[in-house]
Structures are given as structure tokens and as C-alpha cells.
Amino acid sequence: MGNIYDYFAAADDAQALELFEDDCMDDPFGTLGLKGADPYLMLGTVEAHLTDVSEEHVEADPRFCELLSDPDHEGHWLVSLTDTLRDALAAASAERLLEAATAWTLTQDSARQDPGLMADFLGRLAELARDAGQRRRLYCGMSL
């Protein structure tokens, strides 16, 4: 059994934590639950590709997978995603998302994933980003 990753939008960190801690994940903005899409392993490469910067630059952003929940809580964590990723996803075409997915599948973290499946995930995450707009931020709730 693998980890479960729930991607969602919230107005701010406090609202995201409230949604996450209530364990309802039935947020008013739409939740995109996916199993196996680890933000640490995938989204740095995707953001770097979509924004034409290095992964090191992406990972230097304080909001890149910043732990927002209690670090001592085993098996249940909430991390933030960058606003740069949100904006890049919202602006990306389907072709650009496929390019980013393909770039990720060439990394050693990809475990030989199908670029089409990853592009589908990115497309759904892009829809969430477009819906969130500048008013909301993106988050990922993880559980074992």
C-alpha cells in the first residue's frame, strides 16, 4: 500500500491546516486526490521545466514543500506548494504539461512512469491551479 497525496487549494495556510486537521479534505475549492504523486519527487522538476529555472532555484523557495503540519505527527503531513508552480501550471498548455511530464519521467525518481499518465495528473493539477487563481494557494496533504 502506498502513500496517498491530496492536492487542494485554500485561501491561506491557516485555512489549509484547518481543512487538513479536520481530516475531511472536502474543501470548498475542490480536492484532487491522487495516490503516488509525491510533490517532493515530482514537482520540483515540473516547476523547473515550466519556468525555465534550475531545480535548485525551485527548491530554494521557502514554500516548496514547506511542512505546515505538526512534524511529530506520524503518517499525516501537510506541505505547501509554491505560487510560482500554481501560476506556471495555470498558464501551461496541454503540450507544455506533456513536455514537463516527459522531463520528469527521465529523472531517476520517476520509476519509469508513463509520461501520458503524468501529463494527465498535471492537467488536473493545472485545472485546480486555474480555479485557485491569485486568490488561493495550493497544498498537498500526505498520509500513509
Side-chain angles (χ1 to χ4, degrees), residues 11-26:
D12 55 30
D13 294 353
Q15 184 186 42
L17 275 167
E18 183 179 313
L19 291 167
F20 181 72
E21 289 172 356
D22 285 348
D23 201 27
C24 65
M25 294 306 288
D26 185 24

Side-chain angles (χ1 to χ4, degrees), residues 49-77:
H49 188 81
L50 291 175
T51 59
D52 296 321
V53 300
S54 70
E55 286 187 52
E56 292 77 20
H57 180 83
V58 169
E59 292 171 4
D61 186 318
R63 289 195 62 80
F64 176 76
C65 294
E66 175 189 17
L67 181 64
L68 300 174
S69 58
D70 181 355
D72 295 328
H73 192 295
E74 293 186 29
H76 201 62
W77 306 276

Side-chain angles (χ1 to χ4, degrees), residues 9-114:
D12 55 30
D13 294 353
Q15 184 186 42
L17 275 167
E18 183 179 313
L19 291 167
F20 181 72
E21 289 172 356
D22 285 348
D23 201 27
C24 65
M25 294 306 288
D26 185 24
D27 68 277
F29 310 119
T31 297
L32 176 61
L34 292 174
K35 186 175 181 178
D38 187 324
Y40 290 103
L41 299 179
M42 184 179 74
L43 295 181
T45 300
V46 168
E47 183 175 335
H49 188 81
L50 291 175
T51 59
D52 296 321
V53 300
S54 70
E55 286 187 52
E56 292 77 20
H57 180 83
V58 169
E59 292 171 4
D61 186 318
R63 289 195 62 80
F64 176 76
C65 294
E66 175 189 17
L67 181 64
L68 300 174
S69 58
D70 181 355
D72 295 328
H73 192 295
E74 293 186 29
H76 201 62
W77 306 276
L78 177 67
V79 298
S80 63
L81 305 181
T82 70
D83 294 338
T84 305
L85 175 64
R86 176 201 61 206
D87 298 343
L89 286 167
S93 66
E95 294 78 21
R96 192 83 170 115
L97 295 175
L98 179 57
E99 289 172 11
T102 301
W104 181 74
T105 63
L106 299 175
T107 68
Q108 67 186 91
D109 291 327
S110 72
R112 300 186 191 273
Q113 295 287 327
D114 176 6

